[in-house]
Amino acid sequence: MNERSGKDFWFRGHDTRFRPEDMNPTHWTKAIEQLIELRRKGIGLTNSTRYLEDYRTYLKVGRSDWKCKAGLLSLDILPDGRVTVCKEKPALCNIMDHHFLDYIRSNEFRRAAYKISEACEGCFYGEYREPYYALHEFSVFQEWVRDWLETSVMACDLKSGENSA
């Protein structure tokens, strides 16, 4: 149970509700293989091939070995301005505070973020995993660039089509 929201989250690496226990492993393996194939073809998936491969491994072995880097590569800013390193963790500061930039750049903040991420058992929130993957694995970065280029070309095509009509 999340203290801040009072809701259960199902994206924890240890949470068995995130595992399709009632589904035959052959079926979920095939489903993930098909998603990976679609991803490699560049067909509309936002999760990287690496993310999908990690989820497949999780389903096989029942644990997530990915170490959280929340707060080191990303932050969550809540509607009221509170800043947290993870949507499941308490806020560390507020963007409305006039000392916000000093704090967010401080060793104190880095130590707090590191402590929180080190204590995390892992999750499947893409917004935390994907930036880490993109910075540490060139293949994921390539997927991001390819997606951006394809999206940009489609946007330009749509815009030029509007101008010619």
Side-chain angles (χ1 to χ4, degrees):
M1 177 89 51
N2 179 279
E3 292 177 18
R4 193 176 75 219
S5 69
K7 296 179 183 176
D8 284 331
F9 288 93
W10 291 20
F11 292 106
R12 301 273 99 215
H14 70 286
D15 193 339
T16 58
R17 293 173 297 177
F18 198 57
R19 296 175 51 85
E21 297 292 339
D22 296 336
M23 185 184 282
N24 180 320
T26 304
H27 292 110
W28 56 252
T29 299
K30 185 176 179 179
I32 291 175
E33 291 299 328
Q34 289 174 341
L35 289 171
I36 289 171
E37 183 60 29
L38 289 171
R39 182 67 180 110
R40 288 186 175 141
K41 290 179 181 177
I43 300 177
L45 295 175
T46 57
N47 292 112
S48 67
T49 301
R50 168 65 194 273
Y51 178 92
L52 295 168
E53 289 169 346
D54 279 0
Y55 186 55
R56 178 181 56 200
T57 300
Y58 163 75
L59 291 174
K60 287 180 184 176
V61 300
R63 72 177 187 281
S64 170
D65 291 331
W66 179 77
K67 277 309 282 176
C68 179
K69 298 298 179 198
L72 304 176
L73 297 175
S74 61
L75 297 171
D76 282 301
I77 301 174
L78 305 176
D80 64 0
R82 289 178 297 148
V83 178
T84 180
V85 299
C86 169
K87 63 181 73 194
E88 295 187 17
K89 307 299 180 195
L92 296 175
C93 57
N94 193 301
I95 61 171
M96 304 307 283
D97 182 353
H98 65 281
H99 296 293
F100 168 73
L101 288 177
D102 292 333
Y103 177 68
I104 209 82
R105 294 174 180 153
S106 73
N107 286 332
E108 179 186 359
F109 174 79
R110 282 191 279 284
R111 280 191 298 272
Y114 179 79
K115 183 178 178 182
I116 290 168
S117 66
E118 282 299 303
C120 182
E121 72 274 0
C123 70
F124 285 95
Y125 290 116
E127 63 266 34
Y128 305 123
R129 283 179 176 247
E130 296 288 7
Y132 178 84
Y133 293 156
L135 290 172
H136 292 88
E137 295 185 28
F138 189 65
S139 63
V140 175
F141 180 74
Q142 286 176 307
E143 283 183 350
W144 280 28
V145 170
R146 184 191 70 209
D147 291 349
W148 180 81
L149 290 171
E150 288 175 357
T151 303
S152 297
V153 167
M154 288 188 322
C156 289
D157 289 347
L158 288 172
K159 192 170 187 174
S160 66
E162 290 173 2
N163 293 336
S164 63

